[in-house]
Structure formats: structure tokens, C-alpha cells
Amino acid sequence: MKVVKFGGSSLSCAEQLAKVFQIVVSDPERKAVVVSAPGKRDAEDTKVTDLLIECAASYLQGKEDNEAFEAIVGRYESIAKELQLPGEVVEGIRASLLQLLNSDRSNPQKYMDAVKASGEDNNAKLIAAYFQFKGVEASYVNPKDAGLLVTDEPGNAQPLPETYESLYRLREHAGIVIFPGFFGFNEEGEIVTFSRSGSDITGSILASGMRADVYENFTDVDAVYSVNPNIIRQPKEIIEITYREMRELSYAGFSVFHDEALMPAFRAGIPVNVKNTNQPDKPGTMIVKERKLSNGPVIGIASDDGFSSIYVSKYLLNREIGFGRRLLNILEDFHLSFEHMPSGIDDISIILRQHQLSESVEEQIVQRIKEELHADDVKVQRDLALIMMVGEGMRETVGTAARASTALARAGVNIEMINQGSSEVSMMFGVKAGDERKAVQAMYEEFFAGVTV
């Protein structure tokens, strides 16, 4: 039995939705279909979710945004007309959205969550109507009725343990289940959304709850690539990758999955198959618990910019009990989270997202570190990019860091810092943001030139 998820680009128009229908009915093992809201039809288009956010923001200010409202309904209407669906399908969407927009706004955060979630919810209803119109036994299932219970954290919901037992009952549901992604319900019966790429999270939760054999995630690429195709032309496709490798790459900038999305499937041991809606016969990428280490120490290279580092130096720092705790307490006082913390015997660096660190906050932090920790030197470096090499094979291969450093040196890229994860599955290099592209190209050439599998 398979759970299948389709992203916004796969559901952006009638033509794409017709492809989705053919994919689902071509395999009787595909029991549940998780859907996103309609995405962009082209580069200049706007996602339905973005239109919903715009519309809800206006209503929260006491203004009716008829233009955004009609644009939202118009997206569903154009799909329904091309698919020759009866008019009551769109009229139902129009009425429910209008009722939602005029609902209680006393809690703006929960109001926004409910409006955003309607993008997926209405699309699931439309898609279920299309399957029925085509003579296939299929039905829309509301997450509340299915028992998808989540924590009361708008925009960051987590599934409650009893959710999985409830979702298992969907195996007995007649026909194909059409399920909206992105949201669940708290114990009070209110809609609460997951974090970004929330439909991927829903698909993973549903696959785990229904104990699927495979979770298929359809998108608009043939596979997960070993590097960003905007940096390297026609990069190597990854045929098989482990959950841990995929999570590291997602965190470091890969856009195929949010780094949290795979956790329910990972815990349940369910393989994830990333496939292309436009070329469904291609094998795609399998994300598994273990793989054969057949393509060298590195399976992927990811990069992301927008980082800063706080470098702290103090003689005999390694002998000072509690230094790290007191340093992190200072960051906590300013509500700052950090990403990495490479250290030596006399120095330590804190890597954090730059948007958190205003000039005023930076000045206060530096002053407190000097005064409270009696540091010899404190420096803040801005505009850094992090290059992440990932691969289970690095644990068993000598000289990986040396190869990477040599490649960067040949390309004239200065390494600002190096940090290896304790799992030895990833290795991070900090470079100037302006060198990000050059650094990725150099490392790809070093580890993937000539690799054919």
C-alpha cells in the first residue's frame, strides 16, 4: 500500500491535475493521496497560499480584499472548468472561503492558520470531485474526521501520539482517500498548521499512520540532485540516499524537503520515493534507512548564505569550567539561536543566522562577552555562506576533509571555519558569501567528476 503526495506545482492547473489522476489510478497500491494548494503555473504567477495570506491580512485590518478573493476562487474555477466539473464544486469553495474570511478574528494567529489551510482543504475537495467525475471511487477526508491531532502551535504543529493509531483506520476506508496537507486539529477542534512545506509533513505522518509500504512524494524534478542545479549544470542524480543524509542536506539548503518532513516516515522505517509528476516512469530517488555505499564518500553538497559568526578567544579557555554555558546564556538573553559551534582549546565560534543579529544587538553581545567572560578577543564576521558536504561514506574514508580543503585552495577560496558533525555524516565549511558558488563548483568537481552511479 502506498501513500502519495503531490506538491503545488503538480496541482497548479487542469493539465497537471489530469496527470495526477493518471498517476494515481495507474497503480492500485496508491491508496491515499495528500495534496497541496495550487502552486505557480509559471514564474510570474502567485501561489494560492500567498493569495490567501494577502487576503487574510486585509480582513484582519478590517478591509475586504475582493481582488485577492476573486483571484483565489478564480484559480479553482479555471481548473474546474477545464476539467468539466459541475459548477456547484466552485460555488461550494466560494461559499466556504467567504464564511471563513468572515469568521472570528479575535485570535489573529489562529485565524490566519485557518485561512491558509483552506488552500489545501479546498483543493482536496476539488480533486476528490474530479476523481468521482471520472468514475473512480474516491472521497475527500477531513483531517479532523481522520483523527490527525496536533499540538496547539500555529505554524509549527507536531502530531500527537494518538494520531497514528487513528490514521491506521484509513486503510479500511472505501476507495481512494483524498487528504489535504499542511494542517491538523488541536484537541479543541481548531485548525493548526505545520511549518513550511507542511504538506510533505502530512504525507509523512499519513504514511506512518497507515503503515504504508512506500511514501511517494511527487514534485517537478526527476530526482534529488547531488548539488543545486542552479550552480552546477546537469548535476548527478542521487538514486538512493539515507534518511540521515537527506535530513542533513535539507537543513543545509536542499529545497526538495523541509528537514522535519521525513521524521514520521523515518521513525516508522518507511522508504520515501521522490518522483516527477511530469515523468512518472522515471525511478526518482529512494530515501531509505541504509544504502550501499557505492558512490564515494560524499553523496551531496548543499550551501546556504546569510550567516554570521561570533568568534571568542581566551587563553586556557579549555580549562575554564562553564565558559560555554555562560556564553550561550548571553545569546539566550537576546533570544538568539545558533546553528553550529566549532571550537579549539583557546577559541570558540558561534554560527548563527545573520537576520537575528542587528548592529545594536551585536554591539551589546560583544560588550557582555568581554566584560562577563573576560575574553581576550571577540570578533563578529558577517556575510558568510556554509557549504555542507554530506555522506555516510565519510566515516569510513580517510582524507575527505583534505580533498575538500585542497579543492577550495585551488579555486582561491579561503576557508573561514571547518566543523564536522559528531555523526561524521556531514562536514561544514564556512566561506565568504561571495565565494559560495565558486566553492560549491570546486567541491563538486573534486568529488563527482567522473562518478557515474
Side-chain angles (χ1 to χ4, degrees):
M1 190 271 289
K2 297 177 181 178
V3 168
V4 194
K5 179 262 176 181
F6 291 94
S9 61
S10 300
L11 303 166
S12 60
C13 62
E15 181 184 0
Q16 289 297 96
L17 210 154
K19 293 178 186 177
V20 166
F21 174 79
Q22 292 299 330
I23 289 168
V24 174
V25 300
S26 69
D27 186 348
E29 290 295 304
R30 290 173 175 140
K31 171 67 178 176
V33 181
V34 177
V35 302
S36 300
K40 290 185 177 184
R41 292 162 292 190
D42 54 59
E44 305 302 317
D45 203 8
T46 304
K47 296 178 180 179
V48 164
T49 301
D50 291 336
L51 290 170
L52 286 165
I53 292 170
E54 178 186 334
C55 198
S58 294
Y59 271 76
L60 283 170
Q61 294 173 1
K63 306 171 187 175
E64 292 187 5
D65 191 338
N66 290 323
E67 185 178 347
F69 176 80
E70 290 300 333
I72 294 162
V73 175
R75 288 294 301 276
Y76 295 108
E77 188 173 30
S78 66
I79 294 171
K81 279 186 176 179
E82 286 189 52
L83 297 176
Q84 301 181 328
L85 295 178
E88 55 262 29
V89 173
V90 176
E91 287 309 308
I93 290 174
R94 177 185 289 274
S96 66
L97 179 57
L98 192 58
Q99 181 181 15
L100 181 58
L101 288 168
N102 288 296
S103 63
D104 179 24
R105 286 169 277 203
S106 59
N107 188 323
Q109 198 173 28
K110 289 191 174 180
Y111 173 82
M112 181 64 79
D113 254 21
V115 174
K116 285 192 296 185
S118 71
E120 278 76 8
D121 200 46
N122 285 324
N123 211 26
K125 293 173 183 176
L126 186 152
I127 290 166
Y130 177 55
F131 274 59
Q132 292 162 9
F133 177 74
K134 297 287 284 185
V136 173
E137 186 178 14
S139 56
Y140 158 83
V141 174
N142 187 284
K144 184 178 182 179
D145 297 334
L148 180 45
L149 291 176
V150 298
T151 57
D152 191 23
E153 302 172 84
N156 192 39
Q158 304 294 321
L160 295 177
E162 57 266 38
T163 283
Y164 297 101
E165 185 176 342
S166 299
L167 293 176
Y168 184 75
R169 294 194 292 268
L170 290 177
R171 292 177 67 103
E172 306 305 318
H173 193 281
I176 297 170
V177 172
I178 310 295
F179 202 92
F182 189 42
F183 70 97
F185 285 80
N186 64 19
E187 293 180 297
E188 284 70 49
E190 300 168 315
I191 288 174
V192 190
T193 63
F194 297 116
S195 54
R196 61 191 178 95
S197 300
S199 293
D200 288 330
I201 298 174
T202 301
S204 189
I205 292 169
L206 203 62
S208 176
M210 295 180 72
R211 299 176 201 171
D213 299 306
V214 178
Y215 167 34
E216 293 182 321
N217 192 294
F218 280 84
T219 180
D220 55 3
V221 294
D222 290 342
V224 177
Y225 295 108
S226 55
V227 72
N228 185 342
N230 293 320
I231 296 178
I232 301 294
R233 187 170 175 270
Q234 295 183 328
K236 174 184 171 291
E237 293 180 4
I238 299 174
I239 303 304
E240 195 174 52
I241 185 172
T242 67
Y243 295 112
R244 184 157 48 177
E245 289 170 332
M246 191 67 231
R247 176 165 159 75
E248 293 273 1
L249 289 169
S250 297
Y251 159 78
F254 268 37
S255 59
V256 175
F257 279 109
H258 185 315
D259 59 326
E260 295 177 13
L262 293 176
M263 290 310 296
F266 167 71
R267 292 187 180 120
I270 298 167
V272 179
N273 193 185
V274 180
K275 294 174 71 70
N276 190 346
T277 303
N278 301 309
Q279 299 194 70
D281 293 332
K282 291 205 169 187
T285 298
M286 288 298 296
I287 306 173
V288 295
K289 185 175 181 180
E290 295 180 358
R291 66 176 176 88
K292 295 178 181 179
L293 305 178
S294 58
N295 42 328
V298 178
I299 196 166
I301 300 169
S303 65
D304 200 7
D305 59 11
F307 293 92
S308 289
S309 72
I310 302 173
Y311 170 81
V312 182
S313 175
K314 185 177 183 181
Y315 182 59
L316 298 180
L317 181 153
N318 64 313
R319 296 189 187 180
E320 189 169 333
I321 296 173
F323 186 93
R325 173 183 54 79
R326 287 181 286 138
L327 175 59
L328 293 179
N329 279 343
I330 293 173
L331 296 187
E332 185 178 354
D333 289 344
F334 289 91
H335 305 288
L336 302 182
S337 62
F338 73 95
E339 306 291 322
H340 301 275
M341 194 165 61
S343 63
I345 58 172
D346 290 328
D347 51 40
I348 188 169
S349 291
I350 307 290
I351 314 300
L352 66 164
R353 296 279 178 178
Q354 188 163 293
H355 67 80
Q356 303 179 92
L357 198 62
S358 67
E359 290 185 9
S360 172
V361 169
E362 175 188 326
E363 187 177 330
Q364 294 176 68
I365 287 175
V366 170
Q367 184 177 352
R368 283 191 58 181
I369 292 173
K370 287 180 177 178
E371 291 177 355
E372 298 175 25
L373 303 183
H374 308 291
D376 298 328
D377 192 18
V378 183
K379 294 177 182 176
V380 175
Q381 189 170 7
R382 290 178 172 271
D383 300 321
L384 294 174
L386 300 186
I387 317 297
M388 187 81 80
M389 291 195 320
V390 175
E392 299 267 9
M394 290 197 297
R395 290 180 295 186
E396 302 165 10
T397 307
V398 176
T400 304
R403 287 178 63 186
S405 300
T406 301
L408 293 175
R410 282 198 305 265
V413 176
N414 185 51
I415 300 173
E416 304 296 330
M417 70 198 72
I418 301 177
N419 189 35
Q420 182 164 15
S422 57
S423 67
E424 299 182 14
V425 172
S426 65
M427 192 176 297
M428 181 272 289
F429 295 82
V431 303
K432 296 282 190 183
D435 288 332
E436 177 187 356
R437 192 178 190 89
K438 186 163 55 170
V440 171
Q441 290 169 340
M443 292 169 72
Y444 182 84
E445 181 68 23
E446 174 64 29
F447 289 99
F448 291 96
V451 175
T452 58
V453 294

